[in-house]
Amino acid sequence: MAKINGNEIRPGYVIEYQDTLWVSVKTMAVKPGKGPAYNQVELKNLIDGRKLNNRFGSDEKVERVRLEQKDFQFLYREGESLVFMDDTTYEQTELHEDFVGERAAFLQDGMKVTLELHDERPISIKLPDYVTLAIVEADPVVKGQTASSSYKPAKLENGLRVMVPPFITAGEKIVVDTNEVTYVRRAD
């Protein structure tokens, strides 16, 4: 780990502060008329998700943490647990469904994911940006509907609902953005 000055903290940096891990969400360099300049930083706790706004002066030192990234493969669900396998060592890791959150609905057997680890402890998970899913239910198109409001609700095979263009029907496969949970395009 490397020590950095408080004014060097940038968005996306993971730091150790108050004996826990935080990710920098927003930073703003402030130079008041009186007193020394400081860096106003919005932090999010990587362990429990709480937020903190803090001022860091250029004379303050903080530990910048580098997280280890490892590729895993999703194997299966077991109750509320999700089982992943390390691609290099073939060791299996169980994570609670809450760790992945609502995006757990996108997990498919054999899907490659990236886990960020700190001291062998999972901190965050990155799913592929896009997945292909089939539509099981799509509302019919209302005649005379204008082009500006032409999206309609559809239910995906994983149970999630997204808004799709009127030409999409049940049974078709579409590409969905896993971060925004939105329709991207028809699958090839």
Side-chain angles (χ1 to χ4, degrees), residues 66-176:
R66 299 225 187 263
L67 298 178
E68 179 186 0
Q69 292 190 335
K70 276 187 163 183
D71 290 330
F72 281 77
Q73 181 179 357
F74 174 67
L75 297 178
Y76 57 89
R77 288 178 202 276
E78 190 173 287
E80 291 188 0
S81 293
L82 304 169
V83 181
F84 297 89
M85 179 181 69
D86 187 323
D87 278 354
T88 51
T89 64
Y90 303 111
E91 287 180 28
Q92 291 186 5
T93 302
E94 276 190 41
L95 298 175
H96 197 274
E97 209 169 313
D98 292 343
F99 180 80
V100 182
E102 62 188 28
R103 296 183 323 144
F106 290 114
L107 288 171
Q108 300 167 346
D109 292 349
M111 179 182 275
K112 301 280 186 197
V113 299
T114 303
L115 276 175
E116 289 190 319
L117 306 155
H118 180 256
D119 293 333
E120 297 299 317
R121 182 174 162 213
I123 298 296
S124 70
I125 187 166
K126 183 171 182 348
L127 302 181
D129 290 333
Y130 304 104
V131 293
T132 302
L133 295 165
I135 292 184
V136 293
E137 238 175 72
D139 290 355
V141 179
V142 178
K143 274 194 178 238
Q145 204 173 24
T146 62
S148 62
S149 66
S150 63
Y151 276 68
K152 64 182 184 180
K155 187 176 181 182
L156 300 170
E157 62 184 293
N158 63 2
L160 292 177
R161 293 192 162 279
V162 294
M163 298 299 283
V164 296
F167 57 82
I168 301 291
T169 58
E172 287 191 65
K173 289 190 178 255
I174 62 168
V175 176
V176 180

Side-chain angles (χ1 to χ4, degrees), residues 20-49:
T20 188
L21 294 179
W22 301 83
V23 64
S24 167
V25 181
K26 275 192 231 168
T27 62
M28 182 172 45
V30 179
K31 210 169 192 174
K34 278 183 159 178
Y38 59 88
N39 199 7
Q40 183 71 38
V41 182
E42 183 180 317
L43 299 168
K44 182 178 181 200
N45 191 306
L46 285 174
I47 310 302
D48 59 23

